[in-house]
Amino acid sequence: MSHATPQREALLVAEKLTRRFGGLTANSNVNLTLERGTLHALLGPNGAGKSTCINMLSGDLPPSEGRILLGGKDITGLSNHQRSRVGIGRSYQRTNIFPKFSVLENCRLAAQSRRQQPWRIVKDAVRDPDTLARAHAAIAEAGLAGREHRIAGQMSHGEQRQLEIAMVLATDAQVLLLDEPLAGMGSDESAQMVELLKRLRENRAILLVEHDMDAVFAVADTITVLVNGQVLESGDPDTIRKSPAVQQAYLGHEGADHV
Amino acid sequence: MNPTSQRLILPLLLAALLAFPSFGSDFYVELVAKTLVLAIFAMSLDLLVGFTGLVSFGHAAYFGIAAYAVAMITPKYDPASLWLALPAAIIAAGLAAFVIGLFVLRTKGIYFIMVTLAFAQMVFFLFHDTNLGGGSDGVNINFKPDAAIAGWAPFDLNEPGQLYYFIVAALVAVYGVLKLVLRSPFGRVLIGIRSNEHRMLSLGYATFYYKLAAFTLAGALAGVAGFLYAVLSGFVTPELLAWHQSGNVLLMVILGGMGNLVGAIAGAFAFTAMQEAFGAWTKHWQLAMGLAIVAAVLFLPGGLSAIPARLKRAMTGEEK
């Protein structure tokens, strides 16, 4: 188990991230550390600022203040495509795939982003062995083997969520930012996804934004609770479960929705 | 159209085009040549509209700039060298597209449509209101470019028959270039951008530069068409850059079916055929043509290139 690893390698560090929208402060001084081999869950009631936080980490939204470090290097100024190139992969809350392409083409395009070679005009993109190998490996790792030629938009919701993760894997991302991968899934599909998350964390750092409390406590190594854009508590699942502040602020608030 | 039927139909079409001058009258040979030039123009726009999802409403600017480049590079009493005039026209059009692309590609959707139109109108008025290219009267090209290389002429563009085959060769070359581009990693990215640009960004593609390259390439290929048009007609006017021209080529792409190169060619032929047929029938031909296009869009979504698949469905009785 990853907890036994003697030294933890901090991959992505967010320092004092703050984001204001006009007069509204959506995130205020948020500190987060994502370590290789661990799954860090971000919890919080609706409107707590989870989406703002993940958007700042993925480069979809520039922070108003604070900085983001990847392996010690400041990447705050990088845009979303540049962050992808340095190894931060993201999945979206609302399924964000290429619906008319096959599963393979979705993942092949993702894999191609690592060796783009746009000037190679006479090269047949779909026959590049290196890109294809990465795409197939990602499909297998996400549990979609055998469904390579299905049209993405015609698959079940759960399969599309798996595909979204496969696409992130095909980019060779070291840091995975997963925005509610379990949303809208049945219990069987959820259980499969939880197993997948456990496998994926082994050699990567994962940030999981999720509403499903059972899943979060089953899979997370560290949990950070956001309330009103601020970190209320951060620690291992036991600490969070026992924290009076969390029980009061978060479970007290919206607890009824999650029982 | 599926690949196998394309593989069958394309050589037949090409054979028909190659054989046409031996039984068509001079008038029709020139009409077909003009249509082939428009087909090249339509294919170049299809790279943007059909494959990258960029609806440019100012594509005539690059067509016209290339045509004017020919006029400006041709001396008054001598022909220009083909090997100078053709690259000059392509580069002028591509360069204009690159510079305009730097601005317009920062916008999206309806704004993109309007801004491409606005830039094209600027180019139109540049030629219309200044003496740069003869003002609103346009300018004659007295001599067709000379194909001679060091005194040896492989062909002569003053011969209508040879010019026709030169245009067919250009059509095949542009089609080949686009096919190659579309199967390359670059082309795959363009198709991804059309499907979901935000996802392409988060996968690590700097989509702006891909779109800029596509916009530049489409402009340069429109330049091939503009060059041929100027050579064929021997006369350029600001009308070549007008928004009607941008609208017409967009209609050709829509008629043929966006995202299909053979469709773009078919769209150019359908457009010219309608123009000729309605023009012979009534002087209000534009009204009739407008109605025909509305009908085509309503009853033939997917354009002419969707017909084979529709026929197949109808024959096998398959649902959707």
Side-chain angles (χ1 to χ4, degrees), chain A residues 96 109 113-114 116 122 125, chain B residues 183 196 199 203-205 210:
Chain A
N96 196 351
L109 259 182
S113 71
R114 299 306 107 172
Q116 300 192 6
V122 292
Chain B
R183 66 160 213 170
N196 187 346
R199 195 58 173 132
L203 287 177
Y205 292 101
Y210 277 92

Side-chain angles (χ1 to χ4, degrees), chain A residues 205-225:
Chain A
I206 302 181
L207 179 74
L208 176 69
V209 171
E210 190 48 65
H211 270 304
D212 184 336
M213 299 285 256
D214 294 337
V216 166
F217 280 97
V219 75
D221 300 290
T222 313
I223 297 175
T224 293
V225 179

Side-chain angles (χ1 to χ4, degrees), chain A residues 8 11 24 29 35 44 47 92 107 112 121 124 140 154 161 191 194-195 238:
Chain A
R8 286 176 157 191
L11 273 182
L24 177 83
N29 287 315
E35 293 164 326
Y92 288 84
C107 293
Q112 185 188 304
I121 291 303
D124 189 353
Q154 295 172 0
R161 305 300 294 178
V194 166
E195 287 312 305
D238 258 0

Side-chain angles (χ1 to χ4, degrees), chain A residues 12-13 17 56-57 67-70 73-76 83:
Chain A
L12 190 75
V13 178
L17 279 188
M56 286 194 285
L57 295 178
R67 43 181 216 153
I68 301 162
L69 306 171
L70 180 73
K73 267 176 63 182
D74 191 333
I75 59 160
T76 319
R83 299 231 186 143

Side-chain angles (χ1 to χ4, degrees), chain B residues 196-278:
Chain B
N196 187 346
E197 183 174 0
H198 179 236
R199 195 58 173 132
M200 291 305 281
L201 277 169
S202 70
L203 287 177
Y205 292 101
T207 56
F208 178 81
Y209 296 104
Y210 277 92
K211 289 192 291 182
L212 184 59
F215 201 78
T216 305
L217 176 61
L221 295 178
V224 175
F227 169 87
L228 294 170
Y229 191 92
V231 171
L232 189 63
S233 69
F235 186 64
V236 292
T237 71
E239 290 308 308
L240 297 182
L241 306 126
W243 68 270
H244 305 91
Q245 187 80 349
S246 295
N248 286 351
V249 69
L250 201 52
L251 283 175
M252 290 174 206
V253 170
I254 293 169
L255 268 180
M258 292 178 277
N260 186 310
L261 295 177
V262 179
I265 300 174
F269 272 92
F271 190 89
T272 311
M274 280 200 283
Q275 223 170 18
E276 291 298 316
F278 292 135

Side-chain angles (χ1 to χ4, degrees), chain B residues 102-124:
Chain B
L102 281 173
F103 295 97
V104 297
L105 290 168
R106 293 175 197 280
T107 63
K108 287 198 165 58
I110 185 81
Y111 300 101
F112 181 79
I113 298 176
M114 297 320 290
V115 174
T116 49
L117 172 63
F119 270 97
Q121 286 302 92
M122 277 166 55
V123 178
F124 169 78

